[in-house]
């Protein structure tokens, strides 16, 4: 399977602990995105990378959140001092470099479901 | 924050019927995309319509876009039980990030 992969698929942690998620995009895609989705809502944008550069961050990405893409391939999203409000599905997506023949769609991974107790 | 709002929030139909869901958004857009999400396959891209297009077809899907009303509709014809999922519209506004709506939950009964 050459789609976007995420690890772990599920994470249960206690409040105050740090967690780290990993995303492996489709290999030829240079853009990588992180979204967060809570129950009954649509995904909300967190941040995106073009190659290794983090080009945009949402106000949702508080100082407890940090994302990296050190070699322009896989990315990690770390949440420090987790809070119960961080419980959500964290989705990663990737897209090919422009021009992409009009294909601006994003390809999503299965997500990491975080539960903070 | 959510850019778009889908209507209805939930829709139940019989197999073979058509399903129409609507999306309204707030700001000018580059393109509008529709995605499907179910527990088995996650978020999957369905169709993209650019701001200078008014209608687009893909298989059993038909999307319309009215930029003057800042709205779009997705029509699924001859629905199947496998179409049961949540459907989201998403807009691209100046940057590659997507701003998703709140979603329509579609249930198709066999």
């Amino acid at each position: 399977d050459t789609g976007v992969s995420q690890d772990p698929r599920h994470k249960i942690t206690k409040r105050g602990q740090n967690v780290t998620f990993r995303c492996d995009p489709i290999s030829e895609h240079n853009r990588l995105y992180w979204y967060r989705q809570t129950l009954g809502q649509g995904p909300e944008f967190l941040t995106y990378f073009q190659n290794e550069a983090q080009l945009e961050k949402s106000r949702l990405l508080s100082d407890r959140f940090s994302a990296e893409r050190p070699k322009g391939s896989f990315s990690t999203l770390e949440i420090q001092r987790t809070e119960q409000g961080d419980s959500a599905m964290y989705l990663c997506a990737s897209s090919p470099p422009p021009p992409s023949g009009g294909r601006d769609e994003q390809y999503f991974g299965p997500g990491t479901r975080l539960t903070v107790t | 924050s959510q850019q778009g709002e889908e209507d209805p929030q939930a829709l139940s139909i019989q197999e073979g019927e058509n399903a129409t869901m609507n999306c309204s958004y707030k700001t000018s857009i580059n393109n509008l995309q529709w995605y499907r999400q179910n527990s088995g396959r996650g978020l999957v891209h369905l169709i993209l319509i650019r701001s200078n297009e008014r209608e687009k077809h893909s298989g059993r899907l038909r999307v319309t876009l009215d930029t003057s009303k800042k709205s779009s509709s997705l029509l699924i014809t001859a629905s199947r039980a496998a179409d049961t999922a949540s459907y989201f519209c998403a807009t691209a506004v100046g940057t590659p990030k997507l701003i998703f709506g709140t979603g329509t939950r579609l249930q198709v009964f066999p």
Side-chain angles (χ1 to χ4, degrees):
Chain A
D1 191 319
T2 57
V4 178
S5 62
Q6 294 186 245
D7 182 69
R9 296 289 303 275
H10 303 272
K11 179 70 177 179
I12 300 174
T13 191
K14 293 184 177 180
R15 189 177 54 186
Q17 298 294 306
N18 300 344
V19 294
T20 300
F21 310 141
R22 176 179 170 125
C23 171
D24 287 88
I26 294 171
S27 59
E28 63 268 26
H29 288 183
N30 71 333
R31 286 180 175 164
L32 186 149
Y33 311 80
W34 286 99
Y35 294 84
R36 181 173 71 184
Q37 185 177 25
T38 54
L39 197 62
Q41 299 295 314
E44 292 180 295
F45 170 78
L46 293 178
T47 188
Y48 93 92
F49 294 83
Q50 182 162 300
N51 300 314
E52 64 276 8
Q54 189 173 19
L55 295 187
E56 189 172 350
K57 294 196 297 185
S58 163
R59 289 172 298 172
L60 293 174
L61 214 66
S62 75
D63 56 5
R64 295 185 299 106
F65 288 70
S66 63
E68 294 182 344
R69 195 183 184 198
K71 297 181 180 179
S73 57
F74 73 92
S75 175
T76 58
L77 177 68
E78 181 184 16
I79 308 174
Q80 296 182 328
R81 305 180 302 282
T82 53
E83 302 172 355
Q84 288 188 320
D86 297 331
S87 294
M89 177 76 85
Y90 290 84
L91 297 166
C92 177
S94 68
S95 65
S100 51
R103 294 173 49 232
D104 292 337
E105 68 265 30
Q106 296 180 14
Y107 297 78
F108 281 81
T112 295
R113 182 169 297 283
L114 173 66
T115 302
V116 181
T117 61
Chain B
S1 64
Q2 309 279 182
Q3 152 86 306
E5 290 188 4
E6 277 93 335
D7 171 59
Q9 290 186 346
L11 180 60
S12 295
I13 59 175
Q14 295 290 130
E15 261 191 335
E17 294 181 338
N18 296 342
T20 300
M21 49 204 85
N22 304 295
C23 167
S24 60
Y25 57 91
K26 298 174 184 175
T27 64
S28 296
I29 60 173
N30 296 337
N31 65 64
L32 185 144
Q33 304 177 35
W34 286 90
Y35 286 79
R36 179 182 66 210
Q37 186 178 41
N38 59 31
S39 58
R41 290 195 60 194
L43 265 166
V44 175
H45 178 267
L46 295 177
I47 194 166
L48 179 152
I49 187 165
R50 299 199 177 280
S51 59
N52 61 353
E53 296 176 313
R54 292 297 169 259
E55 186 171 315
K56 206 161 184 181
H57 297 255
S58 177
R60 294 184 295 113
L61 306 179
R62 172 178 170 257
V63 170
T64 62
L65 179 65
D66 187 334
T67 53
S68 66
K69 295 181 179 178
K70 292 187 171 58
S71 67
S72 173
S73 68
L74 172 67
L75 168 68
I76 304 173
T77 60
S79 61
R80 306 166 180 168
D83 295 328
T84 294
S86 290
Y87 291 80
F88 296 92
C89 67
T91 52
V93 183
T95 74
K97 74 180 183 191
L98 291 176
I99 305 175
F100 284 83
T102 51
T104 292
R105 293 186 306 280
L106 174 65
Q107 176 77 52
V108 182
F109 292 99

